[in-house]
Amino acid sequence: MKTSNKFTFVRIVAAPVTFILYFLPVWFSSPNGSLLSIITTCILIPFLAFAEFTDYLDGHFARKHNEVSDFGKMFDPFADVFLHLSLFACFTYTGYCPLPVLVLVIWREFAQNFLRMVAAKKGTAIAARKGGKLKTVFYIVSILISLAIEAVVRTGLTNVWPWFNVEAVRLVNVIFYIACVIFSYVSFFDYLKNFGHVLKEEA
């Protein structure tokens, strides 16, 4: 496996790992401030940060080692979606991400994946466009805000930081999740505008 694709693969592995780490305190009914809640949170934050950083590393090494390929163009956005949808599901469970947002984002990503498959059949590999990259930035920021709130709550810091207004930050978080939906569909229509002809040719 190419170096760039190895970094992309890290995000594939990170999805189930972060999912398990996130839900371990839930499955074992560990209260906020418990040892398990603190340990899993302390592991989850740097692990997820590294997983997101691999999105930069795979592109960097693909260009540096001349490893840019049609496979990589499809593998990279797939790994992003695989990880981010897993985290959206986690935060929907705990109430940070509204359920309609999760459903709308899943619909968008499935539609985008279908477009990529049809295009690949026609010999066209759809790489991430600027709109898709901007959408991913909003995905990541929304996830990080949710993780920050959950980290403060699970480690019991809400008792130490009375100034930290959880509800106010959650409201900001919801606004970012709504922005995720908006930018995801704007970018999808951009993909349709540029590659929608492959659907017409196959239909």
Side-chain angles (χ1 to χ4, degrees):
M1 184 181 290
K2 298 175 181 177
T3 302
S4 56
N5 291 334
K6 288 180 181 179
F7 281 115
T8 303
F9 187 68
V10 168
R11 298 199 294 286
I12 299 292
V13 176
V17 173
T18 53
F19 188 87
I20 291 171
L21 285 172
Y22 190 83
F23 278 104
L24 274 177
V26 177
W27 294 333
F28 286 94
S29 301
S30 297
N32 295 328
S34 67
L35 184 61
L36 181 59
S37 294
I38 294 173
I39 289 176
T40 52
T41 300
C42 290
I43 295 174
L44 184 59
I45 292 174
F47 181 76
L48 181 58
F50 174 72
E52 293 292 359
F53 185 56
T54 62
D55 195 15
Y56 162 77
L57 293 176
D58 58 17
H60 171 75
F61 281 98
R63 291 184 295 271
K64 181 179 179 180
H65 296 163
N66 196 26
E67 296 176 350
V68 178
S69 64
D70 288 345
F71 175 80
K73 291 178 182 178
M74 293 186 290
F75 192 37
D76 177 60
F78 172 76
D80 288 343
V81 171
F82 195 73
L83 174 61
H84 296 153
L85 285 184
S86 299
L87 290 163
F88 273 39
C90 292
F91 296 127
T92 298
Y93 175 83
T94 42
Y96 300 124
C97 176
L99 179 59
V101 168
L102 175 64
V103 174
L104 288 169
V105 168
I106 289 175
W107 288 348
R108 185 272 183 194
E109 297 301 346
F110 268 85
Q112 177 70 20
N113 188 53
F114 179 74
L115 177 61
R116 289 185 189 278
M117 289 190 298
V118 175
K121 182 182 177 182
K122 301 288 289 185
T124 301
I126 301 178
R129 293 174 60 81
K130 289 182 179 180
K133 292 178 180 179
L134 179 62
K135 173 265 300 183
T136 300
V137 169
F138 272 85
Y139 280 15
I140 294 172
V141 172
S142 300
I143 287 168
L144 291 178
I145 294 174
S146 293
L147 184 60
I149 300 171
E150 191 68 358
V152 171
V153 172
R154 287 193 177 188
T155 54
L157 288 176
T158 49
N159 299 323
V160 182
W161 296 347
W163 50 267
F164 188 87
N165 192 326
V166 173
E167 292 307 314
V169 180
R170 287 182 67 159
L171 178 59
V172 172
N173 202 190
V174 170
I175 294 173
F176 268 90
Y177 277 118
I178 293 173
C180 286
V181 174
I182 295 172
F183 282 105
S184 68
Y185 277 87
V186 169
S187 67
F188 178 62
F189 290 132
D190 176 60
Y191 281 107
L192 282 179
K193 178 182 177 182
N194 289 274
F195 301 99
H197 60 88
V198 298
L199 297 177
K200 294 180 181 179
E201 293 169 2
E202 289 293 316

